[in-house]
Each structure stands twice: as structure tokens, then as C-alpha cells.
Amino acid sequence: MSYDPLYEPREGLTHRDADWSGVNVLVVGLGVSGFAAADALADRGAHVVAVSRDETEAIRERATILEILDVDVRLGPEHMVSPPPGTELVVTSPGVPPHDPLMLAAATAGIPVWGEVELAWRMRAKEGAAPWLTVTGTNGKTTTVNMLASILRHAGLRATSAGNVGTPLLEAVLHPEPYDVLAVELSSFQLHWQRSVSAVASAVLNVAPDHIDWHGSYAEYLRAKGKIYENTHLACIYNVADIQTEQLVMEANVVEGCRAVGFTTGIPAPSMVGVVEDVLADRAFVEQRQRSAAELCTIADLQGDAPSIAPHYIANALAAAALARAYGVGPIAVRDGLRAFRPDRHRIAEIATVKGVRFVNDSKATNPHAAAAAIRSFDSVVWIAGGLLKGADVDSLVEEMASRLRGVVLIGADRDQIAQALSRHAPDVPVVDLSETDTGVMDRVVREAARLAQPGDVVLLAPAAASMDMFTNYGARGDAFEEAVRRHLEAHGGLE
């Protein structure tokens, strides 16, 4: 058959039961999303070739399962050059950049390229499919989506977080027990390849330079983020404090009648959600919003047992609440869902206090924007920074945060770039530069940071960089920090 990139199933079939038989599909990458795509396509009769540059144990296990399903699996970089003859569609994993030789070859040959997100949208049931509430942003996506899922479940809905976090999207849309609604996290990688998603409500939390090496420029990164607003039905949620997010709303082609709704940690104007004293308030999804507001929850509801709460955490809660309210969820369910939510590890997590110094793990701060948000949460910080900067500039971060820095401990491959920024914008701040690249260096990191700190300070791991130069991922980096802090704690007489 001749494959139409805008292919819809023939009359009488749902998208889920679409006749994929005979379609020649190349699936690129065998991570979680690539495996799910190959599995779903093969199950629907497509002729699937799956390729992967890497050959890890997990990939080989997935390859074995797919081969049982008659998928032609090809492992090794030699298969990542051009699509096999006859390929009619390429489905790519999020990590494969558009300048990859295989992607360029597909474009040259005129073969449509979809990501897993696009495939999942096309495979949704034609009738009764779970609507999507979508979230992107440079930082805070996972926290916001999981907050949203908690709210939806407290509203009595069968809901899950999916996409870049939680359940793979294909699993979610093809689940034998359909969900009522999906809270979908989308990365800029995933958004780059999507073309037809039409969410009920969508949000961009914030935008700052990140993944420039993947996208090629900040303009392309920004363009990818803005695609989340395309075809939104009811509400485009934007960050009042980040004018770029509002600009992306204004540039988007949305469904007629879709509203722009801002969130702010200040007092909300009409058509916004925000904070009035210690209350999260809704002036967007209420009647007579010019003169009234609905109370959603208090800051104490968000704080739980934590000794403090970061401003960006409140912003994430407001965005999640706005998305839920756009979907029709009541204020009580918003409150209960946010009150019950607990953030994932490695996000502004307080580990211990030793001799009046608090140790905080925010290893998830893998770019300068996230690190700035973390540092801004405290008055006096000994900052642990460094790793792979991914093309990001740290000058503005250091310049803005210089007055909060008691000292800095640098690690990782790109630490010299941070050191140079410190010499320009914070020359009086003491800096310890650790050249060791083994994971065991974290004990020394903690010792040096504790030496620089004074009672009342916070030793903060917020690296502003990715971890893969020294660690498997940001979680492994955070674990190493927490373990080193516990050893330091034991050496100094236990918990205060």
C-alpha cells in the first residue's frame, strides 16, 4: 500500500483497531518508548524493523521479546545510517536528534517521521478516548504532571501520568481498561516530532536555554516547546512571570474559543490563578471572576512536613490546579490532591542538619534555570555545581545569584565554565575545584562544602548540569550525595 502520513483508518474501524497490516515501519531506538512502539505496531500487523545504536542488556532483552513478535531487530551503529528500502514511516525515540544521519536520510527520502507521542495520538480509540492534559517546560514538568494526576484521582477519575514520566503513552492509550483522562508530560524532544495532538488544556511552565546541542539553537528549542499549545481546546496555561510562555500562547493556532490563563505566585488578576496571602486562589474558572475567586488550598497544604517550601514548587501547584480546573475539577479535589502529593526524590530534598548547616539535594537541577530556582529558595548557600552543561550559558545564573553564595564546590567535565563565570561575577566567593571524576569524590565534596559553610547556611547540590560525565543519571548523583551526607553526619555525632 502507499502510506499516507495523515493516514486515518477506514470507515468503521477505531484508531485502536486501524489496519496497519502491510505498513513498513522503522522504529528507531529500543528504550521504553521505542519498545512500546514496536510492540504496538507489530501487534497490529505492521512490518516492523527496529534499530538501536546501543546494545545494553536491557535492549537485548527487549530485542528478544520483539523477535518473538516477528519484529526484525538490528542492533549496532551500522544500522543507524539510512532507512531500509521500502520504509513508509519512521517512528523515532525522543533521544534521537533531528540532525542524526538516519533522520536526515528519512527527510531526504520524503519519509514521514513521528515520535511515540504522535503514534500514540493516532492510535487512540476514535470514540471515548481519554482526553489529554499536557505539560511542558524547561523545569518542573514531572512534579506538575504528578501533582495533576493526584488531583484528578482525588476527583474520582481514573487517571495516570504518562509520556516523559510514568506510564509510556502507548501503554496508556491502549490500556485494556481505558483511562478517563491522562496527565501527559512532554519534553522538547517529544514535541519536536509531534504534529496533530489536540489537548483539552496545555501548559508551558517556563522556558530557558536547555538542550541546545539537540535542537541546534534556542529558537528551535523554543519552537518545540510552543507546539504543545497547538490545537488546544479549552485553556492554554502560561507563566505570568515568564513572558516567553505568554508569547508562545499568542503565536499558537488553537481551537476557536480556547482561553489564555496565567498562573502567578503573586495576586492573580481576572483569568489567572495565583496567591492571596497564604491561599492559592482561582480567578479564572469561576463565575464573576472580575469580583470573586475560589480558594483552592493553602500554602500549608502544599508544605506538608517540610520545613520550607520553594517558590517554584508553589508555581508548579498553581499550573497543575489550573489544568485540573480547566477540565472541570472542583476546588476540594484540587486541595485534596495537592495535600496528598509528595514530590519525587532529588528535588529540593532536605537530607540532614549538621552543626547548624542544612544539606539539600536538588540533583534534578540539571540546567542553569533549575539551579537558579533552587538557589533562590535560600538566603546563604554553599553551592555544589558542575557536570555536562549541554551548551547552556551559566553567566546570568552566577551574576544573579552571586549575593547568595557563601562558597562553591565544583565537579564535573564543564566545571571550568562555571569557574570562569564565578571569577567574572563573584570574584570574592571562595571556590573549591575538584578535578576527580570518580563517583567516590562525593565524600570530599561534602567535606569541602561543610568547611565553607557557616551555621544557618545551606549546602545545596544543584549542579546546573547533566550528570552523565560522572554518574549514570541525576538520581545516582543525588544518591551519592545523600550517602556522603549521612557519613558526614555520623562522623559529627548524628542528627540535630
Side-chain angles (χ1 to χ4, degrees):
M1 63 181 285
S2 176
Y3 193 75
D4 177 0
L6 294 178
Y7 170 78
E8 297 288 355
R10 63 181 180 268
E11 189 68 27
L13 290 179
T14 66
H15 285 223
R16 179 175 300 183
D17 299 321
D19 184 8
W20 287 87
S21 59
V23 180
N24 296 313
V25 185
L26 174 65
V27 174
V28 181
L30 281 179
V32 173
S33 64
F35 174 78
D39 181 28
L41 287 161
D43 187 54
R44 282 151 185 78
H47 295 157
V48 181
V49 176
V51 297
S52 171
R53 178 176 283 108
D54 302 320
E55 296 187 55
T56 65
E57 182 177 348
I59 286 173
R60 286 192 292 270
E61 288 178 2
R62 293 176 189 133
T64 300
I65 295 170
L66 291 175
E67 286 167 346
I68 295 171
L69 301 174
D70 291 328
V71 173
D72 181 356
V73 180
R74 306 175 187 181
L75 305 181
E78 66 273 17
H79 302 297
M80 297 285 293
V81 178
S82 61
T87 298
E88 298 167 277
L89 172 68
V90 174
V91 176
T92 183
S93 298
V96 181
H99 56 264
D100 184 272
L102 184 52
M103 297 297 101
L104 293 175
T108 300
I111 302 170
V113 179
W114 297 355
E116 182 217 7
V117 173
E118 184 70 16
L119 181 65
W121 184 260
R122 302 292 186 102
M123 281 191 170
R124 296 162 71 241
K126 192 171 184 179
E127 302 294 335
W132 292 12
L133 303 172
T134 56
V135 178
T136 194
T138 302
N139 297 298
K141 299 183 294 295
T142 298
T143 297
T144 302
V145 162
N146 286 334
M147 283 177 168
L148 175 58
S150 178
I151 292 170
L152 296 170
R153 286 191 288 266
H154 278 82
L157 297 164
R158 176 170 159 75
T160 189
S161 53
N164 200 45
V165 65
T167 308
L169 262 175
L170 276 167
E171 284 186 25
V173 302
L174 301 175
H175 199 284
E177 298 177 19
Y179 290 99
D180 295 322
V181 59
L182 298 178
V184 181
E185 175 185 334
L186 298 176
S187 70
S188 62
F189 304 159
Q190 292 170 313
L191 285 164
H192 175 88
W193 300 112
Q194 83 87 8
R195 56 190 291 179
S196 59
V197 172
S198 184
V200 171
S202 54
V204 179
L205 304 176
N206 46 65
V207 188
D210 198 14
H211 302 299
I212 305 304
D213 50 352
W214 197 96
H215 289 279
S217 69
Y218 181 55
E220 282 299 306
Y221 173 73
L222 198 63
R223 187 185 69 81
K225 288 295 190 186
K227 290 177 74 174
I228 201 168
Y229 288 134
E230 295 293 319
N231 304 311
T232 297
H233 284 259
L234 294 183
C236 292
I237 314 298
Y238 68 92
N239 184 348
V240 174
D242 188 337
I243 194 170
Q244 296 174 106
T245 64
E246 186 175 11
Q247 184 66 35
L248 292 174
V249 174
M250 290 190 291
E251 294 172 354
N253 292 315
V254 299
V255 174
E256 185 69 28
C258 182
R259 298 172 55 197
V261 174
F263 66 90
T264 174
T265 54
I267 296 175
S271 287
M272 293 182 186
V273 295
V275 180
V276 179
E277 296 181 350
D278 67 341
V279 172
L280 275 65
D282 169 14
R283 294 191 68 189
F285 304 100
V286 293
E287 294 183 8
Q288 300 179 336
R289 56 182 177 268
Q290 291 290 339
R291 299 186 300 275
S292 62
E295 179 176 331
L296 300 177
C297 70
T298 66
I299 290 176
D301 289 325
L302 299 179
Q303 190 168 336
D305 298 328
S308 61
I309 185 168
H312 62 275
Y313 188 84
I314 299 172
N316 293 340
L318 288 163
L323 288 162
R325 293 287 284 154
Y327 190 62
V329 172
I332 292 175
V334 172
R335 181 201 65 195
D336 292 347
L338 290 174
R339 183 183 284 169
F341 175 76
R342 293 294 179 270
D344 291 343
R345 295 184 60 213
H346 311 297
R347 293 162 170 82
I348 307 285
E350 297 216 12
I351 308 307
T353 300
V354 183
K355 295 185 176 180
V357 176
R358 295 156 64 195
F359 289 78
V360 175
N361 170 17
D362 195 35
S363 185
K364 185 61 172 68
T366 57
N367 55 60
H369 185 269
I375 296 170
R376 201 178 289 118
S377 303
F378 307 103
D379 294 328
S380 183
V381 169
V382 175
W383 180 31
I384 302 169
L388 294 172
L389 286 172
K390 303 172 290 184
D393 183 7
V394 293
D395 258 48
S396 59
L397 160 64
V398 173
E399 184 175 16
E400 181 185 355
M401 297 298 155
S403 63
R404 296 176 184 265
L405 300 179
R406 175 79 69 188
V408 180
V409 180
L410 296 177
I411 59 173
D414 293 335
R415 67 188 185 282
D416 187 57
Q417 290 176 240
I418 304 175
Q420 291 179 28
L422 288 163
S423 69
R424 285 190 292 272
H425 303 296
D428 298 328
V429 173
V431 176
V432 177
D433 189 325
L434 299 181
S435 60
E436 296 97 320
T437 57
D438 63 284
T439 55
V441 72
M442 200 59 84
D443 282 302
R444 188 176 171 198
V445 168
V446 169
R447 286 196 302 271
E448 294 290 350
R451 181 179 61 81
L452 293 172
Q454 297 181 16
D457 289 347
V458 170
V459 170
L460 175 66
L461 174 67
S467 59
M468 284 77 76
D469 55 333
M470 294 174 62
F471 301 90
T472 305
N473 50 45
Y474 75 82
R477 178 171 60 190
D479 288 342
F481 175 70
E482 292 187 7
E483 291 162 6
V485 169
R486 292 189 183 98
R487 287 190 288 270
H488 177 73
L489 178 65
E490 291 170 2
H492 290 82
L495 186 66
E496 294 186 5

